[in-house]
Amino acid sequence: LSSPTAYLASYLFTSVVIRRRSSAISFSLTAGLSGYLGKGFHFRIKTSPSLSLPSSSCRHHCRHPALHHPSRSSRSFVRAVSAAASLENTTMSPVRPGTIGFLGAGQMAEAMARGFVKAGLCKPEDITAYDPWDVRRQVFEEFGAKAVTTNGEVVRASETVFVSVKPNYVSTVLEETSGDLSPDQLIVSIAAGVPLEKIEAAACKSSKVPCVRVMPNTPCLVGAAACAYAAGKHASEANGKRVEELFGAIGVIRKVPENLLDAVTGLSGSGPAYVYLAIEAMADGGVAAGLPRDVALPLAAQTVMGAAKMVLETGQHPGALKDNVCSPGGTTIAGVRALEKNGMRSAFIEGVNAAADRAREMSRM
């Protein structure tokens, strides 16, 4: 409180109303004196789940004497407010809107963080990350993000918290930080094969924290991600829109039922690796046909990118686009025939399904 306000408050009859809302308490200080009736202040603090109030609708009037005796000094008034705001197990919430945290600072976390910054969704200083490896923390520091030394620091500083650790560490990390989580935050897990039920069981020990599962891929670094997400039982429509806002700025995202996320993992989550193999193989073919490698590789990569854009921007089926290129008795149909003879189509189908099956196995661990 400013000095003039505190001085005036010492001459006012003041009441404190405390409202319990989930893991937060709202303090409304209302001052009443002639023309100043209804003027007041509002405080909101984050509380520990161990702090118990009778119900979410109860009202508690502070009995501190300084609040009922106009003759007491402004200093007493301020002390009373401080006392009310420092109830047992309460702490001021440091979370700023739009802040993003990463529990785990691996390559996928880095790709997302850089992508969000590049898309203008946040500034580097809005990002906080923790990883047990010094080298990964240094990577985040190099582009202006804040690297900290504990998972708890990430959670306490972030509105949206990404769980980007290996699948077998998800429960451990969330259980460790669950006491710092609140319903005002959003947990986004990108761990393959870890179901929402398991994520929520670990994260929601203290409060009903909204949780969402996303399967991204590394092209988010260049604004070309292909992602899908499923929302948990505590996630609101606004939480879903936040996820769509983040990933929509760095690529494409679709909402799907959770039972389809393993298939998404097999297709787009692991898919970039399949395409890198195809680009490398095409470049090798170009080298075998006589092209220098520094010519063959960019031609192969650009061909893949151009073909993908044709599918996305024309809306035509890839089979129809393929037929348009295959002239009767021409070079393209000869190449397609050789690829079919060697099982290229089947190899891609089996690759996607093998990755999806592995994701399902991981969810049962």
Side-chain angles (χ1 to χ4, degrees):
L1 297 175
S2 64
S3 296
T5 305
Y7 180 78
L8 174 64
S10 68
Y11 292 96
L12 305 181
F13 172 80
T14 308
S15 67
V16 179
V17 178
I18 304 176
R19 298 183 182 87
R20 170 77 176 189
R21 291 184 180 175
S22 186
S23 63
I25 287 181
S26 294
F27 291 86
S28 296
L29 279 68
T30 306
L33 180 66
S34 60
Y36 291 99
L37 184 65
K39 303 290 184 181
F41 314 97
H42 184 77
F43 297 88
R44 186 174 186 279
I45 70 170
K46 183 179 174 184
T47 73
S48 164
S50 63
L51 178 66
S52 60
L53 295 177
S55 71
S56 60
S57 61
C58 65
R59 296 166 65 89
H60 297 262
H61 292 277
C62 181
R63 302 300 183 189
H64 195 287
L67 297 178
H68 294 281
H69 295 280
S71 60
R72 299 293 174 90
S73 69
S74 61
R75 185 175 299 174
S76 297
F77 173 79
V78 174
R79 281 202 301 267
V81 173
S82 298
S86 60
L87 290 170
E88 182 182 2
N89 295 322
T90 65
T91 56
M92 294 299 294
S93 174
V95 177
R96 292 186 294 112
T99 47
I100 296 172
F102 290 91
L103 302 175
Q107 292 185 356
M108 184 65 80
E110 178 191 353
M112 289 190 297
R114 290 183 183 273
F116 295 151
V117 171
K118 188 175 181 179
L121 290 174
C122 63
K123 297 177 182 178
E125 55 266 30
D126 293 329
I127 296 174
T128 306
Y130 168 72
D131 195 278
W133 295 96
D134 291 343
V135 65
R136 295 308 306 170
R137 296 198 301 272
Q138 290 169 5
V139 166
F140 273 69
E141 287 178 333
E142 286 169 1
F143 68 86
K146 183 190 299 182
V148 294
T149 56
T150 65
N151 288 317
E153 290 175 87
V154 173
V155 170
R156 290 189 291 273
S158 309
E159 183 181 52
T160 302
V161 180
F162 285 89
V163 183
S164 44
V165 296
K166 296 294 184 184
N168 52 314
Y169 292 114
V170 170
S171 292
T172 301
V173 166
L174 287 175
E175 286 173 357
E176 173 192 332
T177 58
S178 63
D180 291 314
L181 291 168
S182 77
D184 295 329
Q185 294 171 288
L186 173 63
I187 293 291
V188 181
S189 171
I190 63 167
V194 182
L196 280 166
E197 182 180 10
K198 190 172 184 179
I199 294 167
E200 290 172 336
C204 301
K205 291 185 178 299
S206 301
S207 57
K208 295 179 179 179
V209 185
C211 298
V212 172
R213 271 185 71 188
V214 177
M215 178 44 59
N217 61 12
T218 52
C220 62
L221 179 59
V222 294
C227 316
Y229 79 98
K233 61 185 178 181
H234 303 307
S236 65
E237 184 177 344
N239 296 139
K241 289 191 180 299
R242 174 60 173 163
V243 170
E244 292 174 4
E245 176 191 29
L246 287 168
F247 288 94
I250 57 174
V252 174
I253 185 162
R254 296 287 184 269
K255 185 176 183 179
V256 298
E258 188 183 13
N259 63 353
L260 295 182
L261 279 181
D262 292 330
V264 171
T265 301
L267 176 59
S268 58
S270 302
Y274 317 151
V275 179
Y276 299 146
L277 280 175
I279 292 172
E280 183 183 26
M282 289 173 64
D284 285 345
V287 172
L291 290 174
R293 186 165 295 278
D294 63 348
V295 173
L297 185 56
L299 285 179
Q302 181 68 27
T303 298
V304 170
M305 185 177 75
K309 288 191 66 153
M310 288 285 287
V311 173
L312 293 172
E313 294 182 10
T314 68
Q316 294 187 58
H317 191 280
L321 292 171
K322 179 260 297 176
D323 290 348
N324 291 341
V325 186
C326 293
S327 303
T331 60
T332 306
I333 193 63
V336 169
R337 179 188 176 192
L339 292 172
E340 294 284 16
K341 183 178 180 180
N342 285 278
M344 178 185 178
R345 187 189 300 267
S346 177
F348 273 103
I349 293 172
E350 293 302 316
V352 170
N353 279 273
D357 287 344
R358 178 57 181 157
R360 294 186 188 99
E361 289 174 5
M362 292 169 66
S363 69
R364 293 191 291 268
M365 289 180 178

